[in-house]
């Protein structure tokens, strides 16, 4: 299983090249049957002017991990994934360190998928909670 996990994570991280995910230094670090985990460093590059993590950067992390999770759990030869809706509640601020976004599937339908994404700090403290709805569209 570890070899399979490493292969999936390698593919996910390769998709980050020359994208917003690379700009934000998002790295996919763990995957399981119904989840994907990513981390992002909290530096001045993702701060609001008052020195805390910007909510937009948090939402970009959440949508990135949720969309990638949909991507790896679907047949990508037949479908591509797009985000339909994302919502976020920011409950705690953070100034430095890493944040972790874990996308867990709530609904995995043929057309739509719903992901619960919790963004936490290294100690597991909740920073934000997000819900992402994605759609699988036929490549034909």
């Amino acid at each position: 299983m570890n070899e399979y996990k490493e292969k999936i994570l390698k593919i996910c991280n390769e998709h980050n090249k020359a994208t917003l995910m690379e700009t934000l230094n998002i790295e996919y670090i763990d995957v399981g049957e119904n989840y994907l985990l990513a981390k992002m460093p909290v530096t001045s590059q993702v701060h609001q002017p008052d020195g805390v993590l910007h909510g937009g950067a948090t939402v970009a992390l959440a949508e990135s991990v949720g969309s990638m999770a949909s991507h790896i759990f679907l047949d990508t030869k037949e479908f591509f994934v797009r985000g339909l809706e994302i919502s976020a509640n920011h409950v705690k601020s953070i100034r430095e360190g890493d944040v972790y976004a874990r996308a867990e599937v709530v609904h995995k339908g043929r057309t739509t998928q719903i992901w619960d994404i919790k963004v936490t700090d290294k100690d597991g403290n909740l920073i934000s909670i997000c819900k992402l709805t994605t759609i699988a569209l036929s490549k034909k």
Side-chain angles (χ1 to χ4, degrees):
M1 180 67 173
N2 270 349
E3 186 177 313
Y4 184 66
K5 273 180 143 179
E6 289 175 22
K7 183 178 179 180
I8 291 172
L9 293 171
K10 181 180 179 192
I11 291 168
C12 290
N13 285 309
E14 286 173 353
H15 277 86
N16 284 356
K17 292 187 173 136
T19 67
L20 176 65
M21 287 71 72
E22 183 177 57
T23 300
L24 296 175
N25 294 308
I26 294 171
E27 178 185 4
Y28 300 103
I29 59 172
D30 194 16
V31 64
E33 186 174 329
N34 288 313
Y35 75 91
L36 180 63
L37 179 67
K39 77 173 183 174
M40 180 180 75
V42 179
T43 65
S44 62
Q45 293 177 310
V46 295
H47 278 173
Q48 297 181 27
D50 67 349
V52 298
L53 177 61
H54 193 290
T58 306
V59 171
L61 169 63
E63 185 159 0
S64 297
V65 71
S67 292
M68 183 58 75
S70 281
H71 180 81
I72 64 176
F73 294 123
L74 289 173
D75 179 359
T76 56
K77 292 177 183 165
E78 298 286 324
F79 299 96
F80 62 95
V81 174
R82 293 292 183 263
L84 283 180
E85 180 181 18
I86 189 162
S87 64
N89 293 97
H90 307 299
V91 297
K92 186 176 182 182
S93 60
I94 183 171
R95 293 184 178 278
E96 61 185 12
D98 292 320
V99 287
Y100 300 85
R102 182 183 172 107
E104 293 189 31
V105 69
V106 174
H107 167 74
K108 191 176 358 176
R110 287 179 298 148
T111 306
T112 61
Q113 304 77 44
I114 300 173
W115 297 90
D116 177 64
I117 304 153
K118 290 186 175 69
V119 179
T120 60
D121 65 14
K122 68 178 176 56
D123 297 321
N125 297 307
L126 186 64
I127 304 298
S128 297
I129 187 162
C130 304
K131 183 182 83 170
L132 173 67
T133 304
T134 59
I135 187 167
L137 298 170
S138 176
K139 288 186 174 180
K140 296 177 183 179

